[in-house]
Amino acid sequence: MKYELLNTITPGTEAWDQVVARAKKNHERIIVLSAMPNFAGLLNQAGLKGVSLIDRVCNRSYQKDDFMFFDRIPVPTGAKIEMNEDGNLNVLYDGDKIANVTLYPNTRRAVQDVRYLNPDGTLDYIEEYATDGSHYTNIYYYNNEMQEIDFLDMQERPVLRYYLYEGVINFVTIENPVTREVTAKYNSVRDFVMAEMPTIVKPNDTVTISYMGIELDAISQTNSHNILALVEDPFDEHHEVRGNLQAILKNEIKTVQEVQVPVIAYQELQKTDLPSDKLKLLK
C-alpha cells in the first residue's frame, strides 16, 4: 500500500494540490494525524481514499450523502434558532443566547459545531459534527479555557480523550467504550501518534511525507519505506540546511530512505558537504 501522510489537510493550498496530484498518479491513500471532522468530506471532494488515525482508533465510519441539518441540533424545547448575516446561527432560549452554531462552508444548512454558552457568555462546551452529521467530539471548557477533548465512536461513546493543562495537551487515553476501561495512556499526542502509526503502516508499505514536523515523528516506529517529498525550503533563515534534513541526509534519522526536492533545491544541496545518496528530484 502507498500512503501520503499529513498532519492535517489545508484545502486550496499548493501543498495540498501537490499531494492530491501525487496521490492520484501513484494510487496512494491519505493518512491524517490531527482531528478533522471534515476529513471524509474533503477526501470525497478530491476523489481520494484515506484513513484518519483518530477515526481508526475510534472505529468511525463515514455515511455518504448525509449531514446534520441545523434544525436537528440538541437544544431545549422551545428554543429558537436565528440566522446571522454571516450565515451562522444563534440559539435563543427565554430571550437569552445559549449557543452559537457554525455551519460547514457553502452549505447554509450542514452543522459543523454547536458552541454552548454559560450565562456569562463564556464557553461551556462544544459539540463537533462530522460532514456526514455524526457526533464527532465533545470539547469541554472551564473559565473559557479548553480542558478536555473527547473523541466519540459512532454510538457517541468516548474512546479517545485529550487532556489539556494551560492550553497544552499533556495526557492522552484510549478506553474501551463499553467497559470504560482505559487500555492505553500517553503523555503527549506525539507519543500517541508514534505508538499507533505502526498499526496502520506495515513493512511493505510506502509512506510519503511533505513536512518534517510530527509527520517525521509518526514514522519513527514504522518499518515502511519512507519518502520525504519536501515542500519546505531546505534552508533556514541563515541559509543553513534545516536540522532534521541534515539528520536525514547524514542517516542519523534512518526512517527516511529518500528525499525528493525541486531542481533548484537539489542543486543547492549538492553544493553542501552533506551526503547526497538519498537525494532525488521531486516527481
Side-chain angles (χ1 to χ4, degrees), residues 194-210:
M194 288 171 58
E196 293 297 325
M197 270 295 292
T199 67
I200 299 175
V201 175
K202 304 305 179 184
N204 291 332
D205 294 334
T206 298
V207 179
T208 300
I209 63 174
S210 299

PDB file of all heavy atoms in Angstrom, residues 194-210:
ATOM      1  N   MET A 194       3.044   8.143  17.545  1.00  0.00           N
ATOM      2  CA  MET A 194       4.156   7.219  17.306  1.00  0.00           C
ATOM      3  C   MET A 194       3.763   5.777  17.599  1.00  0.00           C
ATOM      4  O   MET A 194       4.157   4.849  16.880  1.00  0.00           O
ATOM      5  CB  MET A 194       5.358   7.624  18.161  1.00  0.00           C
ATOM      6  CG  MET A 194       6.053   8.883  17.697  1.00  0.00           C
ATOM      7  SD  MET A 194       7.300   9.479  18.866  1.00  0.00           S
ATOM      8  CE  MET A 194       8.401   8.066  18.983  1.00  0.00           C
ATOM      9  N   ALA A 195       2.975   5.580  18.652  1.00  0.00           N
ATOM     10  CA  ALA A 195       2.577   4.226  19.036  1.00  0.00           C
ATOM     11  C   ALA A 195       1.523   3.642  18.111  1.00  0.00           C
ATOM     12  O   ALA A 195       1.518   2.426  17.849  1.00  0.00           O
ATOM     13  CB  ALA A 195       2.067   4.228  20.480  1.00  0.00           C
ATOM     14  N   GLU A 196       0.623   4.494  17.597  1.00  0.00           N
ATOM     15  CA  GLU A 196      -0.499   3.996  16.814  1.00  0.00           C
ATOM     16  C   GLU A 196      -0.204   3.849  15.324  1.00  0.00           C
ATOM     17  O   GLU A 196      -0.846   3.046  14.646  1.00  0.00           O
ATOM     18  CB  GLU A 196      -1.713   4.914  17.006  1.00  0.00           C
ATOM     19  CG  GLU A 196      -2.289   4.900  18.411  1.00  0.00           C
ATOM     20  CD  GLU A 196      -2.842   3.547  18.821  1.00  0.00           C
ATOM     21  OE1 GLU A 196      -3.393   2.844  17.947  1.00  0.00           O
ATOM     22  OE2 GLU A 196      -2.736   3.191  20.008  1.00  0.00           O
ATOM     23  N   MET A 197       0.747   4.612  14.792  1.00  0.00           N
ATOM     24  CA  MET A 197       1.018   4.553  13.353  1.00  0.00           C
ATOM     25  C   MET A 197       1.385   3.162  12.852  1.00  0.00           C
ATOM     26  O   MET A 197       0.932   2.749  11.767  1.00  0.00           O
ATOM     27  CB  MET A 197       2.094   5.559  12.979  1.00  0.00           C
ATOM     28  CG  MET A 197       1.555   6.922  12.595  1.00  0.00           C
ATOM     29  SD  MET A 197       0.560   6.907  11.081  1.00  0.00           S
ATOM     30  CE  MET A 197       1.828   6.536   9.864  1.00  0.00           C
ATOM     31  N   PRO A 198       2.197   2.385  13.592  1.00  0.00           N
ATOM     32  CA  PRO A 198       2.532   1.048  13.083  1.00  0.00           C
ATOM     33  C   PRO A 198       1.338   0.114  12.973  1.00  0.00           C
ATOM     34  O   PRO A 198       1.445  -0.932  12.324  1.00  0.00           O
ATOM     35  CB  PRO A 198       3.544   0.533  14.127  1.00  0.00           C
ATOM     36  CG  PRO A 198       4.142   1.763  14.717  1.00  0.00           C
ATOM     37  CD  PRO A 198       3.010   2.739  14.770  1.00  0.00           C
ATOM     38  N   THR A 199       0.200   0.455  13.564  1.00  0.00           N
ATOM     39  CA  THR A 199      -0.992  -0.373  13.388  1.00  0.00           C
ATOM     40  C   THR A 199      -1.624  -0.149  12.014  1.00  0.00           C
ATOM     41  O   THR A 199      -2.437  -0.966  11.568  1.00  0.00           O
ATOM     42  CB  THR A 199      -2.044  -0.067  14.480  1.00  0.00           C
ATOM     43  OG1 THR A 199      -2.543   1.263  14.314  1.00  0.00           O
ATOM     44  CG2 THR A 199      -1.435  -0.200  15.872  1.00  0.00           C
ATOM     45  N   ILE A 200      -1.257   0.943  11.366  1.00  0.00           N
ATOM     46  CA  ILE A 200      -1.761   1.234  10.009  1.00  0.00           C
ATOM     47  C   ILE A 200      -0.726   0.870   8.960  1.00  0.00           C
ATOM     48  O   ILE A 200      -1.021   0.182   7.980  1.00  0.00           O
ATOM     49  CB  ILE A 200      -2.121   2.734   9.879  1.00  0.00           C
ATOM     50  CG1 ILE A 200      -3.217   3.134  10.861  1.00  0.00           C
ATOM     51  CG2 ILE A 200      -2.548   3.056   8.447  1.00  0.00           C
ATOM     52  CD1 ILE A 200      -3.532   4.620  10.853  1.00  0.00           C
ATOM     53  N   VAL A 201       0.491   1.353   9.165  1.00  0.00           N
ATOM     54  CA  VAL A 201       1.548   1.225   8.157  1.00  0.00           C
ATOM     55  C   VAL A 201       2.358  -0.041   8.409  1.00  0.00           C
ATOM     56  O   VAL A 201       2.892  -0.241   9.508  1.00  0.00           O
ATOM     57  CB  VAL A 201       2.459   2.466   8.197  1.00  0.00           C
ATOM     58  CG1 VAL A 201       3.624   2.296   7.236  1.00  0.00           C
ATOM     59  CG2 VAL A 201       1.658   3.720   7.855  1.00  0.00           C
ATOM     60  N   LYS A 202       2.470  -0.870   7.396  1.00  0.00           N
ATOM     61  CA  LYS A 202       3.162  -2.153   7.509  1.00  0.00           C
ATOM     62  C   LYS A 202       4.510  -2.105   6.767  1.00  0.00           C
ATOM     63  O   LYS A 202       4.762  -1.202   5.956  1.00  0.00           O
ATOM     64  CB  LYS A 202       2.284  -3.271   6.947  1.00  0.00           C
ATOM     65  CG  LYS A 202       0.903  -3.350   7.618  1.00  0.00           C
ATOM     66  CD  LYS A 202       1.003  -3.491   9.121  1.00  0.00           C
ATOM     67  CE  LYS A 202      -0.365  -3.552   9.784  1.00  0.00           C
ATOM     68  NZ  LYS A 202      -0.286  -3.584  11.254  1.00  0.00           N
ATOM     69  N   PRO A 203       5.404  -3.084   7.018  1.00  0.00           N
ATOM     70  CA  PRO A 203       6.753  -3.058   6.426  1.00  0.00           C
ATOM     71  C   PRO A 203       6.784  -2.967   4.907  1.00  0.00           C
ATOM     72  O   PRO A 203       7.702  -2.369   4.343  1.00  0.00           O
ATOM     73  CB  PRO A 203       7.371  -4.369   6.922  1.00  0.00           C
ATOM     74  CG  PRO A 203       6.680  -4.635   8.221  1.00  0.00           C
ATOM     75  CD  PRO A 203       5.265  -4.161   8.020  1.00  0.00           C
ATOM     76  N   ASN A 204       5.801  -3.513   4.232  1.00  0.00           N
ATOM     77  CA  ASN A 204       5.803  -3.487   2.767  1.00  0.00           C
ATOM     78  C   ASN A 204       5.185  -2.224   2.179  1.00  0.00           C
ATOM     79  O   ASN A 204       5.125  -2.071   0.962  1.00  0.00           O
ATOM     80  CB  ASN A 204       5.064  -4.703   2.211  1.00  0.00           C
ATOM     81  CG  ASN A 204       5.811  -6.002   2.457  1.00  0.00           C
ATOM     82  OD1 ASN A 204       7.041  -6.007   2.552  1.00  0.00           O
ATOM     83  ND2 ASN A 204       5.082  -7.097   2.578  1.00  0.00           N
ATOM     84  N   ASP A 205       4.733  -1.322   3.030  1.00  0.00           N
ATOM     85  CA  ASP A 205       4.086  -0.099   2.564  1.00  0.00           C
ATOM     86  C   ASP A 205       5.106   0.996   2.264  1.00  0.00           C
ATOM     87  O   ASP A 205       6.243   0.956   2.736  1.00  0.00           O
ATOM     88  CB  ASP A 205       3.102   0.421   3.623  1.00  0.00           C
ATOM     89  CG  ASP A 205       1.922  -0.519   3.828  1.00  0.00           C
ATOM     90  OD1 ASP A 205       1.593  -1.265   2.891  1.00  0.00           O
ATOM     91  OD2 ASP A 205       1.343  -0.503   4.933  1.00  0.00           O
ATOM     92  N   THR A 206       4.676   1.975   1.478  1.00  0.00           N
ATOM     93  CA  THR A 206       5.473   3.174   1.188  1.00  0.00           C
ATOM     94  C   THR A 206       4.707   4.389   1.701  1.00  0.00           C
ATOM     95  O   THR A 206       3.526   4.549   1.410  1.00  0.00           O
ATOM     96  CB  THR A 206       5.735   3.324  -0.322  1.00  0.00           C
ATOM     97  OG1 THR A 206       6.492   2.208  -0.780  1.00  0.00           O
ATOM     98  CG2 THR A 206       6.512   4.605  -0.610  1.00  0.00           C
ATOM     99  N   VAL A 207       5.399   5.231   2.457  1.00  0.00           N
ATOM    100  CA  VAL A 207       4.777   6.417   3.039  1.00  0.00           C
ATOM    101  C   VAL A 207       5.536   7.653   2.574  1.00  0.00           C
ATOM    102  O   VAL A 207       6.763   7.729   2.708  1.00  0.00           O
ATOM    103  CB  VAL A 207       4.779   6.372   4.581  1.00  0.00           C
ATOM    104  CG1 VAL A 207       4.139   7.635   5.151  1.00  0.00           C
ATOM    105  CG2 VAL A 207       4.055   5.135   5.082  1.00  0.00           C
ATOM    106  N   THR A 208       4.819   8.628   2.024  1.00  0.00           N
ATOM    107  CA  THR A 208       5.417   9.894   1.604  1.00  0.00           C
ATOM    108  C   THR A 208       4.948  10.993   2.546  1.00  0.00           C
ATOM    109  O   THR A 208       3.744  11.140   2.783  1.00  0.00           O
ATOM    110  CB  THR A 208       5.029  10.251   0.164  1.00  0.00           C
ATOM    111  OG1 THR A 208       5.492   9.218  -0.719  1.00  0.00           O
ATOM    112  CG2 THR A 208       5.649  11.578  -0.262  1.00  0.00           C
ATOM    113  N   ILE A 209       5.887  11.752   3.104  1.00  0.00           N
ATOM    114  CA  ILE A 209       5.556  12.906   3.928  1.00  0.00           C
ATOM    115  C   ILE A 209       6.052  14.164   3.222  1.00  0.00           C
ATOM    116  O   ILE A 209       6.975  14.111   2.407  1.00  0.00           O
ATOM    117  CB  ILE A 209       6.162  12.809   5.344  1.00  0.00           C
ATOM    118  CG1 ILE A 209       7.699  12.801   5.289  1.00  0.00           C
ATOM    119  CG2 ILE A 209       5.647  11.575   6.063  1.00  0.00           C
ATOM    120  CD1 ILE A 209       8.370  12.845   6.654  1.00  0.00           C
ATOM    121  N   SER A 210       5.426  15.305   3.536  1.00  0.00           N
ATOM    122  CA  SER A 210       5.816  16.568   2.913  1.00  0.00           C
ATOM    123  C   SER A 210       6.515  17.500   3.890  1.00  0.00           C
ATOM    124  O   SER A 210       7.191  18.435   3.465  1.00  0.00           O
ATOM    125  CB  SER A 210       4.581  17.268   2.323  1.00  0.00           C
ATOM    126  OG  SER A 210       3.982  16.480   1.325  1.00  0.00           O
TER     127      SER A 210
END
